[in-house]
Amino acid sequence: AGCRMPRGATYGKTNDNGTEVIDGQVDHANLFHTYLQAVGVDSTASFDIEGREVPLADPSSHPIEELLA
């Protein structure tokens, strides 16, 4: 896929043992926003289900901008 993500990109840092994130911790919501944005979908958009607005992705989260070229 790749989309707008640079080849070989990395994000964040772990401790020397690789057992703990020490910088740039993200969760599934950040990844989902990032995937949507990478394929050109506005992750802040919503859709309508029988008159009820449902967000595409968690509105309290955001994409990892450093991974989007």
Side-chain angles (χ1 to χ4, degrees):
C3 304
R4 292 177 24 211
M5 293 188 195
R7 190 175 191 164
T10 60
Y11 179 78
K13 293 181 184 179
T14 61
N15 63 9
D16 290 337
N17 296 327
T19 58
E20 183 180 352
V21 177
I22 58 174
D23 181 40
Q25 181 150 350
V26 298
D27 62 15
H28 62 284
N30 298 113
L31 294 173
F32 193 57
H33 272 279
T34 305
Y35 300 151
L36 288 173
Q37 293 285 342
V39 296
V41 175
D42 178 6
S43 65
T44 63
S46 60
F47 56 96
D48 183 279
I49 297 180
E50 297 180 3
R52 185 174 138 228
E53 288 291 310
V54 179
L56 288 177
D58 184 352
S60 66
S61 190
H62 55 82
I64 306 165
E65 295 293 340
E66 294 85 353
L67 291 179
L68 299 172

